[in-house]
Amino acid sequence: MLKTNQWKQRVLEKYEQQQISGKPCYILGIETSCDETSAAVIRDGVEICSNVISSQVEIHKRFGGVVPEVASRQHVEGITVILQEALDKAEITLDDVSAIAVTYGPGLVGALLVGVSAAKSIAYAKGIPLIGVHHIAGHIYANRLVKEMEFPLISLVVSGGHTELVYMKEHGSYEILGQTRDDAAGEAYDKVARSLSLPYPGGPHIDRLAHEGKASIPFPRSWLEPGSYDFSFSGLKSAVLNTLHNAAQRGEELSPADVAASFQASVIEVLVEKTFRAVEQYGVKQVLLAGGVAANRGLRTELTNRSEKEGIDLVIPPLSLCTDNAAMIAAAGYIQYLRGDFAELDLNAIPGLPLS
Ligand code: KG4
Ligand code: ZN
């Protein structure tokens, strides 16, 4: 059996060989932080050779949210098949892989561990670099699969677990300008959807309904203190619940489409306004949208309109790269690969891993 220092030696040799060989660099990415089991192959940092995603949404739906233990078991069952499929679709074998990049946090610990263990096993067996990737860095780097990044930039990260405004002055540098103080944007979407009896995950359903209704209910906008880039969505969520309750008690029927449209208008106004205040204050060259809520049509439209008005370059990933996927993890991993930023074999899952 290879000792750890022998493995490290092999990794460095392979890394050096790769750099002088002129051969394409294939990063195998793995993502298992929540309820998607995904593996992907990216060539030379930006070309997607494969991006296989197995969603567990149908399984968790009947519980109204992700059940961590069920998620871990599903990852265990799926990971090897999905890895093989990603390699097959990319028409390569493990022998062609230059490095393996894996999400090691934040996320559900049992779910993360499945990906981390698989990645460590492959890195060890093949003597290739192991790269630990932050899940949110992955979401941000989904944009590099669309267009080259231009620094400094601001990324609005909106997912089921995160709402953050991130300033990047260069690759791999993340400064959090503001973040949610309570619910994440996606979480608020999912909770409001539930109160409207829509299925999990509710974001896409609210988005669809919002386009059928009018933003006629004046829900609050949570601006917080002047100058703050933080967000808060729990007040808005409570306002929606109270409005629905009060209407029910009075025997009135509220149009779910109007509720969805009014809720969405409040979320989007705050997200877009704070993003562009930061754009102005920090004089950035580019705005990136990232995370599952980046799939929201209303948000995409508003950001596009505002960017055109302000003359700023906006990058939005295609829908398939907005929600959790391994291509984004491999894309972020490639930047770490270039810097030689490798993990050791004792890499562990860190559920609350900070970004900066
Ligand atoms: O990034 P993601 O796949 O997982 C996390 O890392 O959290 O994001 C999932 C979240 C869910 O809350 C889901 O409701 C939301 O993204 N989402 C949307 C839309 N599509 C997905 N929210 C609003 N509008 C959408 N179209
Ligand atoms: Zn995510």
Side-chain angles (χ1 to χ4, degrees):
M1 217 171 93
L2 217 57
K3 293 215 173 72
T4 306
N5 52 357
Q6 289 172 313
W7 171 75
K8 270 170 81 178
Q9 190 57 39
R10 264 183 81 182
V11 165
L12 289 180
E13 279 163 22
K14 280 250 173 103
Y15 185 53
E16 278 164 18
Q17 276 166 17
Q18 166 73 40
Q19 293 190 318
I20 51 175
S21 71
K23 284 190 188 159
C25 170
Y26 290 105
I27 306 283
L28 175 60
I30 302 182
E31 156 64 40
T32 64
S33 68
C34 190
D35 60 344
E36 262 95 25
T37 317
S38 180
V41 174
I42 300 291
R43 187 178 149 128
D44 295 329
V46 289
E47 188 193 330
I48 304 174
C49 303
S50 63
N51 187 21
V52 182
I53 305 164
S54 165
S55 173
Q56 306 172 5
V57 159
E58 287 307 316
I59 295 162
H60 297 288
K61 225 176 199 166
R62 68 189 127 126
F63 305 110
V66 178
V67 183
E69 189 51 36
V70 175
S72 316
R73 281 163 195 252
Q74 290 296 318
H75 287 310
V76 170
E77 278 180 29
I79 190 77
T80 35
V81 177
I82 283 157
L83 275 165
Q84 191 58 53
E85 202 178 322
L87 292 168
D88 292 347
K89 283 206 171 138
E91 296 180 355
I92 61 164
T93 70
L94 276 183
D95 292 330
D96 303 308
V97 173
S98 316
I100 180 143
V102 62
T103 310
Y104 73 111
L108 304 169
V109 68
L112 288 164
L113 273 172
V114 179
V116 169
S117 310
K120 288 204 285 195
S121 316
I122 297 170
Y124 177 73
K126 291 289 166 191
I128 52 174
L130 172 69
I131 301 166
V133 177
H134 191 287
H135 182 74
I136 295 304
H139 273 301
I140 293 174
Y141 272 88
N143 286 283
R144 191 160 183 266
L145 296 167
V146 178
K147 192 173 180 187
E148 189 53 79
M149 290 166 153
E150 278 192 57
F151 299 102
L153 61 80
I154 276 184
S155 183
L156 172 63
V157 180
V158 273
S159 77
H162 292 260
T163 305
E164 277 144 19
L165 262 180
V166 182
Y167 173 80
M168 291 179 70
K169 65 176 189 311
E170 61 196 2
H171 279 303
S173 150
Y174 309 97
E175 188 190 329
I176 296 177
L177 304 179
Q179 58 194 315
T180 184
R181 293 186 184 172
D182 38 60
D183 292 351
E187 200 179 344
Y189 265 94
D190 294 340
K191 287 178 179 167
V192 166
R194 206 168 171 166
S195 69
L196 290 171
S197 306
L198 296 167
Y200 172 86
H205 296 283
I206 298 256
D207 194 11
R208 179 183 41 78
L209 259 187
H211 286 82
E212 295 165 13
K214 280 206 186 75
S216 50
I217 308 166
F219 288 134
R221 269 69 173 152
S222 177
W223 297 112
L224 304 173
E225 320 80 72
S228 171
Y229 288 120
D230 278 351
F231 301 96
S232 164
F233 294 107
S234 74
L236 170 62
K237 178 194 67 191
S238 304
V240 175
L241 298 186
N242 287 342
T243 305
L244 288 170
H245 255 114
N246 293 343
Q249 272 177 351
R250 289 196 300 266
E252 283 172 21
E253 271 238 11
L254 278 180
S255 145
D258 289 351
V259 175
S262 308
F263 163 76
Q264 176 146 309
S266 170
V267 174
I268 293 177
E269 187 179 328
V270 176
L271 289 176
V272 173
E273 186 56 37
K274 291 212 176 196
T275 303
F276 279 88
R277 278 185 200 168
V279 164
E280 200 186 340
Q281 184 179 344
Y282 289 84
V284 298
K285 293 197 179 127
Q286 212 174 38
V287 174
L288 312 181
L289 183 59
V293 183
N296 186 275
R297 276 191 295 158
L299 179 59
R300 294 165 87 94
T301 307
E302 276 307 308
L303 274 178
T304 305
N305 292 345
R306 186 70 183 263
S307 301
E308 277 169 10
K309 201 170 129 209
E310 313 266 346
I312 186 120
D313 189 24
L314 170 73
V315 189
I316 303 183
L319 294 186
S320 59
L321 295 175
C322 288
T323 41
D324 291 350
N325 67 89
M328 68 185 197
I329 302 303
Y334 178 72
I335 298 295
Q336 292 176 235
Y337 179 81
L338 293 181
R339 289 205 309 258
D341 175 7
F342 303 147
E344 305 277 341
L345 285 176
D346 62 358
L347 179 72
N348 203 356
I350 305 181
L353 184 69
L355 180 59
S356 41

